[in-house]
Amino acid sequence: STAHHIDLLAIGEKWKKKTVLPIPTVSKKSPKDDIYVLAMFPYPSGMLHIGHLRVYTISDTLNRFYQMKGYNVIHPIGWDAFGLPAENAALERGVDPAVWTKQNIAKMKQQLAMMLANFNWDRELTTCYPEYYKFTQEIFLKLFKRGLAYRKEAEINWDPVDQTVLANEQVDSEGRSWRSGAIVEKKQLRQWFLGIETFAHELLHDLDKLQEWPSNVKAMQKNWIGESHGTELRFKTNTDVLISAFTTRVDTIFSIQYIALALDHPIVQDAAKKDTDLAQFINSNKDLPNNSKTGYQVKRLYCSNPLSAGAEFNIPVFAAPYVVGKYGSGAVMGCPAHDERDYEFWKNCMPNEPVICTVEPKSGDFELPYASEHGILNSNAGELSGLTTKEARKIITTMLEQKGLGESKTQYRLRDWLISRQRYWGTPIPIIHCEACGPVAVPDEDLPVTLPKLEGLPSKGNPLANINDFVNTTCPSCGSPAKRETDTMDTFMDSSWYFFRHLSPDHAKAPFKFEDATKNMPVNIYIGGVEHSILHLLYARFISKFLASIGMWDGRKHAGEPFKKLVTQGMVHGKTYVNPSNGRFLKPDELDFSRKDSPLIKSTGELPVVSYEKMSKSKYNGVDPADCISKYGPDATRAHILFQAPIDEVLMWDETKIVGIERWLTRVIKLARAFSIKYDSLIKDPTPPLESLEEINFHNEFYSLLGSITDSFERSLSLNTVVSDYMKLTNLIEQAVKSGSVDEKLIVKSLQHLITVIYPVVPSISEECFSILLHGKSPTWTHYKWPRLEGLKESKTVEYKVIIDGKMRCIYPSEKGFFQDKEQVVTLLRSSPKCSKYLHKKTVKNVIIKNNLISLVLE
Ligand code: ANZ
Ligand code: ZN
């Protein structure tokens, strides 16, 4: 187009081809040599999506900033390459998942290069390569040898479409599989578990030490771990068995009217063998949601209240779907008077029975159920009546302890981690099953247990179980014929330790080196999607703590925590158009974009309804990062994605706004061009003069913006502010050039600083500007030291505002404290060219001077 047109895209292309600046060597004397900046590694789907663009722009920007600050930045990337999608995609296309994954990685590497992301490729890892999963297996065996990996029969969620077991968290609130959408069935199977419950207490309480984590993430973790303080009590029955139940309200013990057991409770399962009605009840109710209030009274089974003197067996026992089998002891002491659920259950199952109230508020009316935990025990509590609930909880627990029928207990909601998957594309569990020896660890020297190649995938079930060569082996312990485990591991296991491997990527003897991990863990800044706030982070914390507990690294300073600062980046939402007359989503080609402000629906001429929503194929609102980069260049794309929203908030992607960024970048390049000839002579003076008020103001504004930018990088991570401060710096320099009242040496020094500090966000534009100033030569790292912040200069002059009869009339610049007395002020103002006309032939009645205000009152 015009002669002034600057092609940002071409600049990006040009500087991409030059291998980016050499990594600076850091003086080894510095105590803060290394900094570890890590973005969660991607799943190699083959397509870099907009979320990746956002997260890697953030991490690369920080990477480049800390390099400029003189750190040795560890900024690796890898591939979270196992998992169902690869297997499914492979099934659809009939290709080997290994081949498919490898191709995808190659494609995504190219796309990462497009966005100028600068990673330590020598630290790359891929979880589906034997070099990596060998060590995932080794870590599994370390858990196994300490009893922290074990097999047990468990009721599991079975996805009938994918033919696999799902973790609880992969089942949504409607009981559907998160992947296939099928209604999940319950099934009993022997499964591998990891003993995360053992670490529940530390995982909860060490959250307090994570001061640089967002509080919402910590709250979610806390909730997930779910600590409750209460009492576990045991009920004697009219048979030999005891029934345990966990309660947080042992003060309601005198209100117990029934015991409710989960349907999978051993006592219920046992009773069902002799009671076909119960068996039928279990069968028809096992998929009921927890809010159901039905129950089935177990025949001929009664309990006694542990505190009642007579110890009559008069408490009935029910099988009830509302009791969660996997929580506490899978049993509830039913107190209809003091618990909402128990009340409804009792009213429904025993409508003619009374409700026995034992706790009341201190004063005033109340209704049943009275579920508040504050109150006083009433006369039904016998000798304990009059106690507060809090006092009663303490005393009753002691009484139970003395009788050997209970004790205080801390209960966690967190359950052991089910890692078995009946799938091909995962890390094989390195165990051999021997009839004589039981499950035996594969000896270290036989690791990895490699995934056998498949000749065409069967469409259902677990393919490994059908490969005889894989399954049949001998027991490492006794030598008899034995069978290999055919389950593979949950991919969260692969991602629970990868940040250690990045630190010792070529180490062949162990998952990582003690010294490397001890030196560089925890990760200084970990960046990723908020969708990983619970599971991935919890599992990573668990494995890190476990590895610290067995001395694999020294994590004492940070309680074995893997991530010091956590940044959760928000989602990117796409612009979505809806046809108002039928509510349908509109495709881009159904819209006429020729109007400047808003598009029209081609077929009807109507205005569409515009909103921003999560990108999806069905809404036609997706954005391909590769498209955007090839239209606007990598620099503008990076700056745009940072500028549009704070990193932890939703970003509403509006491509039209990128012109603002383009204009700014063009202005920076024009400034560089304007000073290209004079640069050499002007830059020589390292301390240009600061004489005039304009120069002092310029200097002060420049350095306060620079201070704000530095602070945004180092503390607040407010990267949108960084970009807006870049723009302000650019304006400031342009204004100074225009005004002509700032020494050019000062301007050029500031321009050079501007070009330096934009590098983390827009690296190729920065390098281009330097090459303009350097007459075609490329800049080197000497140009990329982060500028030292200079102190603000106090000006000797003050700009006095002169107010005459309440109106601001003029500015009178003068040395501070120039006035001695009021008459002198008036004389000086009368002789000032700007002020004199207001005072001409006027008598001044009064003068008030306050700070930089001079107020005159005329006669
Ligand atoms: C008696 C009681 C009386 C209760 C009362 C509450 C109020 P949190 O705080 O979540 O730990 N409970 C125990 N095990 C259960 C299970 N497997 N399934 C369903 N509910 C179970 O909750 C603890 C409370 O949840 C326990 O205290 C128990 O009911 C119930 F006025 O015991 B409570
Ligand atoms: Zn054996």
Side-chain angles (χ1 to χ4, degrees):
S1 48
T2 67
H4 298 293
H5 178 75
I6 290 168
D7 188 349
L8 300 176
L9 183 58
I11 294 172
E13 278 300 309
K14 170 179 154 196
W15 288 96
K16 196 174 74 199
K17 282 191 199 104
K18 310 202 178 206
T19 45
V20 203
L21 292 172
I23 306 280
T25 44
V26 184
S27 112
K28 287 282 176 261
K29 272 173 275 162
S30 156
K32 330 180 271 185
D33 270 2
D34 291 356
I35 189 165
Y36 190 176
V37 176
L38 183 66
M40 290 178 186
F41 64 164
Y43 175 76
S45 63
M47 270 280 293
L48 202 67
H49 61 65
I50 199 87
H52 294 134
L53 181 69
R54 193 172 189 193
V55 74
Y56 301 122
T57 298
I58 295 167
S59 78
D60 186 54
T61 297
L62 295 173
N63 160 45
R64 289 172 190 263
F65 169 76
Y66 281 107
Q67 284 190 24
M68 293 170 77
K69 275 270 173 170
Y71 286 88
N72 175 39
V73 186
I74 300 172
H75 184 231
I77 192 166
W79 309 95
D80 188 11
F82 270 135
L84 270 178
E87 197 164 332
N88 289 342
L91 282 176
E92 280 163 25
R93 296 172 181 76
V95 292
D96 185 343
V99 174
W100 185 79
T101 304
K102 210 168 182 164
Q103 287 167 349
N104 286 350
I105 291 174
K107 272 191 238 165
M108 286 175 77
K109 266 191 195 176
Q110 276 175 357
Q111 292 167 328
L112 284 174
M114 276 179 79
M115 62 174 283
L116 304 175
N118 205 353
F119 293 106
N120 305 155
W121 288 107
D122 54 344
R123 296 181 183 274
E124 181 185 6
L125 59 83
T126 305
T127 59
C128 68
Y129 292 175
E131 305 89 274
Y132 182 87
Y133 69 66
K134 172 181 179 180
F135 296 116
T136 310
Q137 292 174 341
E138 200 176 304
I139 291 171
F140 172 90
L141 290 178
K142 287 179 194 300
L143 290 156
F144 177 70
K145 285 166 190 164
R146 287 161 183 83
L148 290 169
Y150 62 92
R151 227 158 54 121
K152 76 172 178 203
E153 182 105 348
E155 187 180 77
I156 45 80
N157 304 304
W158 179 254
D159 179 335
V161 170
D162 280 342
Q163 296 273 308
T164 191
V165 174
L166 298 174
N168 283 341
E169 34 302 344
Q170 293 171 326
V171 182
D172 69 15
S173 56
E174 287 164 39
R176 289 176 188 277
S177 161
W178 72 332
R179 281 212 202 285
S180 72
I183 292 280
V184 171
E185 298 165 4
K186 301 274 185 208
K187 233 183 173 181
Q188 291 284 333
L189 265 184
R190 294 197 86 183
Q191 299 286 300
W192 284 97
F193 287 85
L194 299 185
I196 191 172
E197 278 178 55
T198 314
F199 286 78
H201 182 265
E202 283 172 68
L203 287 169
L204 182 79
H205 293 277
D206 290 345
L207 286 172
D208 293 340
K209 297 179 182 147
L210 300 175
Q211 276 157 17
E212 294 178 77
W213 277 41
S215 51
N216 65 330
V217 173
K218 287 194 276 187
M220 283 190 260
Q221 295 242 326
K222 192 173 168 193
N223 208 24
W224 190 263
I225 299 166
E227 188 179 77
S228 290
H229 300 281
T231 307
E232 171 138 299
L233 22 63
R234 283 175 290 281
F235 294 86
K236 287 186 179 154
T237 64
N238 56 338
T239 69
D240 295 339
V241 289
L242 288 173
I243 297 178
S244 298
F246 173 75
T247 178
T248 46
R249 291 293 311 278
V250 79
D251 53 291
T252 63
I253 194 163
F254 301 107
S255 285
I256 298 176
Q257 293 183 267
Y258 68 97
I259 299 289
L261 302 177
L263 301 189
D264 59 359
H265 194 287
I267 292 177
V268 174
Q269 290 291 323
D270 221 43
K273 286 181 194 147
K274 286 161 267 163
D275 180 347
T276 49
D277 289 343
L278 175 56
Q280 212 195 325
F281 177 82
I282 296 173
N283 208 30
S284 54
N285 287 297
K286 65 181 174 196
D287 292 327
L288 280 187
N290 293 339
N291 63 9
S292 119
K293 289 298 168 282
T294 63
Y296 180 97
Q297 187 175 346
V298 180
K299 287 181 183 136
R300 292 178 296 280
L301 183 62
Y302 292 89
C303 299
S304 62
N305 189 311
L307 286 195
S308 43
E312 281 175 81
F313 294 113
N314 57 1
I315 302 175
V317 179
F318 287 81
Y322 84 93
V323 182
V324 181
K326 292 187 197 119
Y327 187 64
S329 322
V332 169
M333 59 178 233
C335 301
H338 302 296
D339 183 90
E340 210 69 63
R341 297 165 299 179
D342 296 356
Y343 185 84
E344 282 176 45
F345 177 85
W346 193 242
K347 284 284 168 196
N348 184 38
C349 295
M350 300 296 226
N352 302 320
E353 292 291 316
V355 170
I356 302 165
C357 171
T358 59
V359 175
E360 296 177 9
K362 282 201 179 94
S363 63
D365 294 340
F366 66 97
E367 269 174 57
L368 290 181
Y370 177 68
S372 163
E373 62 170 295
H374 302 286
I376 306 276
L377 271 59
N378 67 17
S379 59
N380 286 338
E383 57 179 2
L384 298 185
S385 70
L387 292 181
T388 66
T389 49
K390 202 173 160 196
E391 290 163 344
R393 279 198 284 276
K394 245 192 177 156
I395 291 175
I396 293 172
T397 304
T398 313
M399 290 164 77
L400 290 169
E401 266 164 24
Q402 281 161 1
K403 290 181 171 236
L405 290 177
E407 56 276 313
S408 66
K409 183 172 184 199
T410 304
Q411 179 67 47
Y412 294 94
R413 200 171 299 283
L414 182 66
R415 297 285 81 167
D416 276 350
W417 172 15
L418 196 171
I419 59 155
S420 286
R421 295 293 179 272
Q422 288 67 46
R423 276 281 171 173
Y424 169 69
W425 195 235
T427 302
I429 292 179
I431 292 285
I432 291 167
H433 297 287
C434 166
E435 256 178 47
C437 314
V440 179
V442 171
D444 274 357
E445 62 271 20
D446 293 347
L447 295 183
V449 176
T450 35
L451 271 178
K453 268 222 170 354
L454 286 184
E455 311 259 331
L457 287 171
S459 58
K460 290 261 138 66
N462 178 0
L464 284 183
N466 303 323
I467 304 175
N468 290 336
D469 281 353
F470 178 78
V471 176
N472 296 321
T473 181
T474 50
C475 168
S477 168
C478 73
S480 12
K483 292 201 184 303
R484 218 176 262 291
E485 173 64 60
T486 57
D487 285 358
T488 54
M489 293 182 215
D490 179 3
T491 55
F492 275 125
M493 183 63 190
D494 307 319
S495 57
S496 69
W497 73 280
Y498 77 104
F499 35 89
F500 285 100
R501 187 67 189 168
H502 278 316
L503 297 173
S504 316
D506 303 317
H507 192 49
K509 293 207 191 83
F512 52 89
K513 284 192 203 146
F514 176 90
E515 309 82 60
D516 290 344
T518 301
K519 179 164 180 234
N520 287 311
M521 287 294 287
V523 174
N524 294 78
I525 307 177
Y526 193 40
I527 311 151
V530 75
E531 68 275 17
H532 292 299
S533 293
I534 299 179
L535 295 178
H536 163 58
L537 291 174
L538 196 63
Y539 296 147
R541 293 178 62 220
F542 160 48
I543 295 296
S544 299
K545 284 175 183 295
F546 165 69
L547 294 171
S549 77
I550 60 170
M552 294 273 293
W553 67 295
D554 184 352
R556 276 172 298 182
K557 263 185 287 171
H558 302 280
E561 288 289 337
F563 311 121
K564 188 153 185 281
K565 184 184 185 80
L566 177 72
V567 176
T568 48
Q569 109 268 9
M571 298 232 287
V572 183
H573 285 183
K575 208 167 187 175
T576 316
Y577 299 98
V578 171
N579 186 333
S581 41
N582 57 19
R584 281 221 303 270
F585 294 107
L586 292 155
K587 296 178 194 165
D589 64 12
E590 293 177 293
L591 293 159
D592 171 6
F593 286 96
S594 61
R595 293 196 335 156
K596 210 166 143 215
D597 301 326
S598 65
L600 293 177
I601 302 173
K602 277 184 192 164
S603 58
T604 61
E606 273 180 299
L607 281 172
V609 179
V610 182
S611 62
Y612 287 87
E613 287 173 46
K614 192 175 162 174
M615 291 186 186
S616 85
K617 286 201 182 96
S618 61
K619 293 180 183 162
Y620 314 109
N621 62 351
V623 174
D624 179 359
D627 271 0
C628 189
I629 294 170
S630 41
K631 251 197 254 171
Y632 305 100
D635 298 272
T637 306
R638 288 164 63 111
H640 176 67
I641 206 162
L642 294 179
F643 184 51
Q644 284 304 299
I647 54 179
D648 54 354
E649 285 177 19
V650 169
L651 187 154
M652 294 185 261
W653 184 270
D654 183 351
E655 205 170 290
T656 60
K657 293 208 174 117
I658 217 169
V659 292
I661 297 284
E662 288 186 301
R663 267 187 229 123
W664 162 60
L665 289 173
T666 306
R667 281 158 53 209
V668 177
I669 294 169
K670 282 184 178 164
L671 277 171
R673 287 187 181 167
F675 285 92
S676 134
I677 293 168
K678 295 186 244 175
Y679 175 74
D680 291 335
S681 61
L682 291 173
I683 202 67
K684 276 187 203 125
D685 185 355
T687 49
L690 286 178
E691 270 149 19
S692 68
L693 186 62
E694 283 85 351
E695 285 169 346
I696 289 174
N697 284 345
F698 176 81
H699 170 97
N700 286 352
E701 256 180 80
F702 186 87
Y703 281 99
S704 73
L705 283 170
L706 201 58
S708 153
I709 292 171
T710 312
D711 193 72
S712 297
F713 275 121
E714 288 181 331
R715 262 171 287 280
S716 59
L717 280 192
S718 171
L719 301 183
N720 57 324
T721 320
V722 165
V723 180
S724 72
D725 285 343
Y726 288 162
M727 293 174 176
K728 286 183 192 160
L729 279 183
T730 311
N731 287 344
L732 184 71
I733 294 172
E734 281 177 343
Q735 294 297 318
V737 172
K738 235 193 251 159
S739 79
S741 49
V742 174
D743 190 308
E744 285 196 326
K745 286 187 225 143
L746 198 58
I747 295 183
V748 159
K749 185 182 163 193
S750 310
L751 177 60
Q752 174 167 329
H753 282 344
L754 171 67
I755 293 171
T756 303
V757 301
I758 61 175
Y759 174 77
V761 177
V762 286
S764 55
I765 298 295
S766 167
E767 292 183 44
E768 175 72 11
C769 289
F770 262 124
S771 90
I772 293 170
L773 295 181
L774 301 172
H775 317 295
K777 270 190 284 167
S778 303
T780 66
W781 264 112
T782 53
H783 298 97
Y784 282 106
K785 278 212 191 81
W786 193 258
R788 204 168 47 82
L789 290 180
E790 289 184 17
L792 303 190
K793 294 278 181 307
E794 220 191 306
S795 161
K796 281 187 227 113
T797 32
V798 176
E799 293 187 321
Y800 287 97
K801 292 195 172 100
V802 181
I803 294 162
I804 300 172
D805 280 346
K807 284 197 183 108
M808 228 293 277
R809 288 305 192 184
C810 59
I811 302 264
Y812 183 77
S814 174
E815 234 164 75
K816 235 184 208 166
F818 77 99
F819 44 80
Q820 299 300 322
D821 55 60
K822 292 179 178 177
E823 256 171 52
Q824 184 203 3
V825 171
V826 176
T827 319
L828 282 169
L829 292 180
R830 279 192 199 282
S831 61
S832 138
K834 278 186 198 154
C835 302
S836 59
K837 62 180 176 204
Y838 299 108
L839 300 173
H840 190 60
K841 289 188 180 162
K842 300 268 166 69
T843 314
V844 177
K845 206 166 72 180
N846 197 7
V847 181
I848 306 157
I849 302 169
K850 209 178 159 198
N851 298 327
N852 63 340
L853 295 182
I854 302 175
S855 196
L856 304 183
V857 182
L858 304 182
E859 205 132 66

